[in-house]
Amino acid sequence: MRMSLPWRHALLALAVVAVWGSNFVVIKIALAALPPLTLAALRFALAFAPAALFIARPAVPWRLLAAYGLLIGAGQFGLLFVAMTRHITPGLASLVVQTQVFFTIALATLAQGERLRARQGAALVLAGAGLVLIGVRGGGEATPLGLALVLGAALAWAGGNTVSRRAGRVNMLAVVVWSSVFAVPPLLALSLLFEGPQAVAAGLARADAGTWAAVAWQALGNSLFGYAAWGWLLARHPAATVAPTALLVPVFGMGASAWWLHEPLPAWKLGAAALVVGGLALNLWPGRAAARH
């Protein structure tokens, strides 16, 4: 497998991280009305139905579909949505969850024997410096519980990445659709257990057109497009090449927050974004340059 992304694949990865980054503002809109676990259950229920009526089940063992649905659904988004209720701000959540990049590469190294090249290691250090700068200058915008929950979400995301790679070159849209059915029952059970039927009913009563549009965007934009495209890329390229692209998510997250929520963009934030972009350029550019000679 190549150690750099062809330009069309790089553009696809960029589109995915743009959707994921801007989604943190959309999540906050939905959480204004719905309890977090209820929101997660609705997201994956809508991702499964009615798409399953038109998309055949992929040629993937049920155990892989179940593992992917549990890791991405109940693991990543269940934990992330709970954290974003009052334990961490959207911008900082978009930053901390990107530790999935390092978890993904570590899992690939341990489970599949992929080797981390020196250039890629340097790129991760450079981009990681940008993340550290955001974390240091971001202020006390997260509780210890919030950080722990989002780190757990990042680890679950990395596990989902590993499962999707094991599925091989299959129809990842079908994988996302059919794995979503495994996310709904545990999320619904946890919602009823921890949030309670009254809170669920009250949230559904508060939901307006904007809330349901946010839920639809969670299912269609993030789940069906985002994770299907991401899994497609991971099936064709080493994790150490694809995963660092997700470090752009906080950049899009900060931009969306500045636009929709009017959050300021001081110089230190722009400097941190430059470090992240610089790390990505270091990861991708030398391989592209070498390919031309």
Side-chain angles (χ1 to χ4, degrees), residues 15 22 33 65 77 86 99 107 119 138-139 157-158 186 212 228 248 268 282:
S22 60
L65 291 175
F77 284 97
R86 58 182 180 275
T99 55
L107 290 176
R119 172 173 55 84
W157 185 358
W212 291 111
L248 275 175
W268 68 265
L282 178 62

Side-chain angles (χ1 to χ4, degrees), residues 54-243:
F54 307 98
I55 298 176
R57 185 175 74 85
V60 174
W62 281 108
R63 66 180 184 277
L64 289 183
L65 291 175
Y68 190 81
L70 290 172
L71 286 166
I72 297 297
Q76 180 187 351
F77 284 97
L79 294 172
L80 179 63
F81 287 179
V82 169
M84 287 184 62
T85 52
R86 58 182 180 275
H87 301 292
I88 194 168
T89 61
L92 197 52
S94 72
L95 160 66
V96 177
V97 79
Q98 294 319 309
T99 55
Q100 67 85 17
V101 170
F102 308 106
F103 288 134
T104 296
I105 293 174
L107 290 176
T109 301
L110 291 173
Q112 301 177 16
E114 289 186 5
R115 296 179 58 188
L116 182 66
R117 304 295 178 90
R119 172 173 55 84
Q120 292 171 325
L124 287 173
V125 169
L126 183 61
L131 297 181
V132 170
L133 177 58
I134 296 173
V136 170
R137 294 296 302 270
E141 299 179 344
T143 66
L145 176 59
L147 290 174
L149 287 170
V150 179
L151 285 172
L155 180 58
W157 185 358
N161 287 341
T162 302
V163 170
S164 71
R165 299 198 74 213
R166 288 179 181 174
R169 296 195 177 191
V170 298
N171 183 343
M172 280 307 302
L173 178 59
V175 170
V176 171
V177 169
W178 283 88
S179 65
S180 294
V181 72
F182 292 98
V184 177
L187 286 169
L188 184 57
L190 290 170
S191 175
L192 294 173
L193 178 62
F194 290 103
E195 296 166 346
Q198 291 183 341
V200 173
L204 293 173
R206 286 193 302 268
D208 56 15
T211 304
W212 291 111
V215 173
W217 180 246
Q218 296 293 305
L220 303 179
N222 284 267
S223 287
L224 297 189
F225 167 70
Y227 283 88
W230 193 251
W232 186 90
L233 290 167
L234 284 170
R236 289 159 175 78
H237 302 283
T241 300
V242 177

Side-chain angles (χ1 to χ4, degrees), residues 10-26 90-92 94-95 98 131 134 244-261 263 265 269-270 272-274 276-277 280:
L11 287 178
L12 178 60
L14 183 63
V16 172
V17 297
V19 168
W20 283 346
S22 60
N23 185 55
F24 286 87
V25 173
V26 179
L92 197 52
S94 72
L95 160 66
Q98 294 319 309
L131 297 181
I134 296 173
T245 311
L247 291 170
L248 275 175
V249 169
V251 178
F252 285 103
M254 290 188 297
S257 296
W259 184 24
W260 287 99
L261 305 177
E263 294 184 4
L265 282 176
K269 283 188 178 180
L270 298 177
V276 173
V277 173
L280 290 170

